[in-house]
Amino acid sequence: MTHLEPFGRGTAWLAVRDRTQAEVAEALGLTGGRTVPGHEAVGAVTGTGILPPLPGVGGRWTLAVSERLADLSATRLGALATLLATDVHVYDTTAGATADEVLARAAAESLDPRTLAGEAPGHAHFYDDVDEGPPPAGPVETPSRTPWLWSRFFRR
């Protein structure tokens, strides 16, 4: 069981209708998650927290909370909706529209995260952001996937 914590202001999150945490994590390219308390999942600053599916408007909504979702493009959002074959909404109270407007939209479209409280079935998950380290010092050579094609062009 996860103890739910309200959130909203200064946060960005995705709401995904009728999909599991595992499906949402896979669509976002997240691996290596761990179970965490609800407050840690919704307070995600350097990683991504995913809450268990919760009842809301027209179904159950899995919420993925992360600062990095604030800059999600319309193209990426559409790709996620297509990949998951369901409704996907992004909410961002960190910039643009006022937090109250964003939260009102969330309440009308999916669920209002300010109303979260008490226990929910399932566990919250947290995925650390991948630190890929500094870029390589020199150029990286990428092997050709079609060496046979180049050999036909440059035959001697």
Side-chain angles (χ1 to χ4, degrees):
M1 298 290 278
T2 293
H3 181 78
L4 299 174
E5 300 285 337
F7 70 94
R9 295 189 184 282
T11 309
W13 70 98
L14 283 180
V16 181
R17 186 167 49 99
D18 297 330
R19 293 294 177 261
T20 66
Q21 290 166 291
E23 290 170 317
V24 172
E26 182 178 9
L28 292 172
L30 303 172
T31 59
R34 64 183 187 280
T35 300
V36 297
H39 73 277
E40 190 174 327
V42 300
V45 175
T46 61
T48 302
I50 301 182
L51 295 176
L54 304 167
V57 176
R60 298 182 67 78
W61 295 86
T62 301
L63 305 181
V65 184
S66 176
E67 241 180 49
R68 69 189 189 111
L69 295 171
D71 296 327
L72 199 66
S73 71
T75 302
R76 177 75 169 127
L77 184 63
L80 286 170
T82 300
L83 180 65
L84 290 163
T86 191
D87 293 330
V88 180
H89 301 287
V90 64
Y91 304 102
D92 179 7
T93 61
T94 63
T98 69
D100 289 335
E101 290 171 342
V102 173
L103 290 162
R105 188 170 55 90
E109 295 174 346
S110 58
L111 63 93
D112 187 342
R114 297 173 297 184
T115 64
L116 300 180
E119 299 296 322
H123 297 284
H125 295 194
F126 186 82
Y127 298 83
D128 293 310
D129 281 344
V130 177
D131 180 9
E132 297 175 358
V140 177
E141 290 187 31
T142 307
S144 172
R145 293 184 183 185
T146 56
W148 60 271
L149 179 62
W150 292 109
S151 67
R152 293 192 184 271
F153 287 139
F154 298 107
R155 272 202 174 144
R156 296 183 188 215

